[in-house]
Amino acid sequence: MDTHALAWPKEGNSRVPYRVFSDEGIYRAELDRVFLGPTWQFLALENELPNPGDYKTTFLGETPIVVTRGEDGQLHALVNRCAHRGNLVCLKRQGNADLLTCVYHSWSYDLEGNLKSVAFRRGIAGKGGMPDDFRMEDHGLQKLRTDHFAGLVFGTLSPETPPLAEYIGNMVGGRVGRVLYGKPKVLGTTSQILHNNWKLYLENVRDTYHASLLHTFFTTFRVARLTNGGGVLIAENGRAHASYTRTKDETVGREGSDQLYAGIQSQRAGLHLEDTRLLQQVSEFGDDITVQILSVFPNFVLQQVNNSIALRLVLPKGPDKTELQWTFLGFEEDDAALQELRLLQSNLVGPAGYVSMEDGAVGGFVQRAIAGAEQQTSVVEMGGYDHVSEETRTTEASIRGFWQAYRPLMGYA
Amino acid sequence: MTLEEVARRLELESLYADYAHCLDDDRLEQWPDFFVEDAYYRITSAENFEAGLPLGLVYLTSRAMLVDRVMALRKANIYEPQRYRHQIGAIKIAGDSGAGLDVVASLVVVRTMQDGEMILFAAGRYVDRLVRSGDSWKFARKDVVLDSRQIDTLLAMPL
């Protein structure tokens, strides 16, 4: 029985049935149709696993994946599930190994996932063992397709996913390259457990309307306001988006901006910082864009907030549970002062961030509020009904783009 | 243990007890007073710490930044009412250079939400550098090294 069937509202992407955020059947269908379907998902940085035998584990949806650096110097991505009886092959989050050996029955695979040995394959003293027609080459680890873009490696299990550059598209692709202009250097990682459906976080990422309304710090300290110059870029198929802000560009002047934000709870008068170093920024991207938030469907986010650069990977853990993994980056080319600035600005984002702290909670607030509202829908009409690029962020067009990408995969015409 | 060492132990135990109660009594405005002016304060994971990665979930490099953190929590940030309860123990003097003390201590934090839901929110260790300030000790450096890389929902108040 098809348990994820749903009649999408006739209004299209400007209405989202709350049921898609809580329904177990829909969630199960997403794991299959979205995460194991024709989508690219971030796996690793190209230079993250430098030596042959280096590996790390990650997920395609809930499916465990291991990414390896092979003896051939290439990155390989494999489903981390023994071809024998389904045990996890790599237990550690990261490590180095010559062979990937399952602890359960000691079946071993090379770094490309080919089965190399089966313990007691020939049995003992002529008894037992695998049948003569057992072919090693038919029992490797399941292999993903990989593709890379601007130093980022993505994977997919579907043969139908178009090449990554085409999938991201030129418009947003250029914005990825804009931020990742150097050789990435990991400054550290963290992770957040969100008590909400994964799509609520992706809506939040694409929601340019909320940032200066929910996040007082953003507004009060003028990190970004809707009255600053900026806009959204949205691929026609909705898969990729980038929003951008030019903080120095005050479209209605500073006083005009204060007047428009007057009475809005996120603008607080009289607040000041004793130590303003974390609000300082240096121009490094060759333009005057101060904040750029970018996503690639389904679950990859690239963030530039001033000089803070982070990758965010959104992993589904159940209909109402999500893990948000953060990887903070600098570049090998950074001098000590720029790295220190990135570290100071990391206070703005992440689980404890002055700006993004609220994003950790607001999805959970929605999740709680929509209990019992499975027949109702949200209203996503700010900026109209379509999902086209615009020179404004006072719009929910990027969110509508997300649903544009999501609905065909799920069969929600 | 000499009488002097006993006295120092008691000083440290009293300092860490004061620190825990300051936070748990919601006297956050007094929290920066435990630190010197050019203090370094960081919350990180054991994974980052052991890999030598510099990132902090909270990364503050002056006492003024600690003051700013409290201001933001009070006036700018939005989070549900919640309490942290710090249990600090196993205080160990790891080094004594004469100029200051290297101290490690264990911490466990229980979080209680407004509806009464309680979870074990954090476990880890403090890796601290203390210096004499008049007749008391102050933190010159505090690395809060959490055993887990995962934070449930968000991390608001200081640890």
Side-chain angles (χ1 to χ4, degrees), chain B residues 116-136:
Chain B
E117 183 211 38
M118 300 175 87
I119 65 163
L120 181 56
F121 182 64
R125 64 193 191 268
Y126 292 120
V127 180
D128 294 341
R129 175 88 179 161
L130 285 85
V131 293
R132 265 284 174 209
S133 168
D135 57 358
S136 65

Side-chain angles (χ1 to χ4, degrees), chain B residues 15-79:
Chain B
L15 174 75
Y16 280 89
D18 288 346
Y19 186 89
H21 287 291
C22 171
L23 296 178
D24 295 346
D25 294 348
D26 196 31
R27 289 180 280 114
L28 300 185
E29 284 71 13
Q30 296 169 21
W31 171 62
D33 295 340
F34 286 91
F35 294 82
V36 301
E37 283 303 319
D38 61 347
Y40 163 97
Y41 174 90
R42 178 174 74 145
I43 302 177
T44 190
S45 65
E47 191 178 350
N48 287 332
F49 189 78
E50 281 149 22
L53 297 175
L55 182 81
L57 283 70
V58 176
Y59 182 92
L60 310 174
T61 58
S62 69
R63 185 181 170 282
M65 284 189 183
L66 274 67
V67 173
D68 291 339
R69 176 92 194 160
V70 174
M71 180 280 298
L73 293 176
R74 293 292 196 213
K75 295 183 176 152
N77 288 115
I78 296 166
Y79 48 96

Side-chain angles (χ1 to χ4, degrees), chain A residues 214-248:
Chain A
L214 173 64
H215 306 308
T216 303
F217 201 93
F218 242 162
T219 316
T220 300
F221 296 108
R222 296 178 189 273
V223 181
R225 293 182 175 197
L226 287 172
T227 48
N228 296 134
V232 290
L233 301 172
I234 308 163
E236 195 179 340
N237 56 28
R239 283 182 197 139
H241 106 285
S243 67
Y244 56 96
T245 305
R246 296 189 180 92
T247 308
K248 291 188 186 80

Side-chain angles (χ1 to χ4, degrees), chain A residues 107 118-132 134:
Chain A
W107 285 31
V118 168
F120 298 111
R121 181 181 172 194
R122 301 292 175 205
I124 294 172
K127 291 180 180 168
M130 298 300 273
D132 290 341
F134 178 81

Side-chain angles (χ1 to χ4, degrees), chain A residues 93 186-193 195 214 216 268 271-275 277 323 328 339-340 343-344 346-347 351-352 354 357-358 360 365 368, chain B residues 45 47-48 53-62 64-65 67-69 71-73 75-80 149-156:
Chain A
R93 272 174 49 81
V186 174
L187 299 178
T189 61
T190 182
S191 148
Q192 236 172 315
I193 296 298
H195 296 277
L214 173 64
T216 303
R268 301 283 166 85
L271 299 191
H272 78 283
L273 295 177
E274 298 277 327
D275 189 331
R277 282 178 292 161
E323 182 178 359
F328 287 80
Q339 175 167 312
E340 186 65 15
L343 293 170
L344 287 173
S346 68
N347 284 296
Y354 287 132
M357 184 190 302
E358 286 98 8
F365 297 160
R368 282 187 249 164
Chain B
S45 65
E47 191 178 350
N48 287 332
L53 297 175
L55 182 81
L57 283 70
V58 176
Y59 182 92
L60 310 174
T61 58
S62 69
M65 284 189 183
V67 173
D68 291 339
R69 176 92 194 160
M71 180 280 298
L73 293 176
K75 295 183 176 152
N77 288 115
I78 296 166
Y79 48 96
E80 275 182 284
R149 65 199 307 275
Q150 291 182 347
I151 298 291
D152 187 274
T153 309
L154 57 81
L155 192 157

Side-chain angles (χ1 to χ4, degrees), chain A residues 111-158:
Chain A
L111 295 165
E112 297 176 37
N114 303 305
L115 182 59
K116 300 310 274 188
S117 71
V118 168
F120 298 111
R121 181 181 172 194
R122 301 292 175 205
I124 294 172
K127 291 180 180 168
M130 298 300 273
D132 290 341
D133 62 355
F134 178 81
R135 288 163 46 89
M136 300 282 276
E137 53 271 37
D138 291 344
H139 300 277
L141 299 178
Q142 196 178 347
K143 296 175 185 180
L144 281 69
R145 292 170 57 207
T146 61
D147 201 349
H148 55 95
F149 189 90
L152 307 170
V153 181
F154 286 69
T156 183
L157 270 170
S158 167

Side-chain angles (χ1 to χ4, degrees), chain A residues 130-369:
Chain A
M130 298 300 273
D132 290 341
D133 62 355
F134 178 81
R135 288 163 46 89
M136 300 282 276
E137 53 271 37
D138 291 344
H139 300 277
L141 299 178
Q142 196 178 347
K143 296 175 185 180
L144 281 69
R145 292 170 57 207
T146 61
D147 201 349
H148 55 95
F149 189 90
L152 307 170
V153 181
F154 286 69
T156 183
L157 270 170
S158 167
E160 287 158 25
T161 322
L164 182 59
E166 183 187 319
Y167 184 88
I168 297 173
N170 285 336
M171 183 171 61
V172 174
R175 297 305 180 112
V176 177
R178 172 189 167 273
V179 175
L180 298 177
Y181 65 83
K183 190 168 177 246
K185 175 184 175 187
V186 174
L187 299 178
T189 61
T190 182
S191 148
Q192 236 172 315
I193 296 298
L194 308 177
H195 296 277
N196 56 256
N197 185 273
W198 66 277
K199 301 186 295 303
L200 285 171
Y201 186 76
L202 269 305
E203 276 200 325
N204 174 276
V205 161
R206 288 180 177 234
D207 178 358
T208 48
Y209 177 34
H210 88 283
S212 67
L213 301 173
L214 173 64
H215 306 308
T216 303
F217 201 93
F218 242 162
T219 316
T220 300
F221 296 108
R222 296 178 189 273
V223 181
R225 293 182 175 197
L226 287 172
T227 48
N228 296 134
V232 290
L233 301 172
I234 308 163
E236 195 179 340
N237 56 28
R239 283 182 197 139
H241 106 285
S243 67
Y244 56 96
T245 305
R246 296 189 180 92
T247 308
K248 291 188 186 80
D249 178 9
E250 292 271 17
T251 56
V252 293
R254 276 175 85 93
E255 289 77 33
S257 175
D258 282 349
Q259 278 168 25
L260 284 170
Y261 275 94
I264 290 178
Q265 51 100 13
S266 62
Q267 176 175 278
R268 301 283 166 85
L271 299 191
H272 78 283
L273 295 177
E274 298 277 327
D275 189 331
T276 56
R277 282 178 292 161
L278 72 87
L279 293 179
Q280 290 167 5
Q281 50 186 295
V282 297
S283 174
E284 62 170 319
F285 303 105
D287 56 29
D288 56 356
I289 291 172
T290 44
V291 178
Q292 178 185 288
I293 306 293
L294 178 157
S295 71
V296 177
F297 187 88
N299 63 340
F300 173 75
V301 181
L302 171 64
Q303 155 227 304
Q304 174 229 333
V305 176
N306 297 345
N307 303 100
S308 169
I309 301 167
L311 313 178
R312 306 181 199 164
L313 184 63
V314 184
L315 296 175
K317 298 291 177 189
D320 57 1
K321 188 175 174 187
T322 300
E323 182 178 359
L324 174 59
Q325 295 186 342
W326 300 75
T327 303
F328 287 80
L329 298 181
F331 300 115
E332 298 288 352
E333 299 87 341
D334 291 352
D335 61 20
L338 182 52
Q339 175 167 312
E340 186 65 15
L341 189 57
R342 296 195 203 284
L343 293 170
L344 287 173
Q345 291 177 2
S346 68
N347 284 296
L348 295 170
V349 288
Y354 287 132
V355 174
S356 52
M357 184 190 302
E358 286 98 8
D359 293 323
V362 77
F365 297 160
V366 174
Q367 193 78 39
R368 282 187 249 164

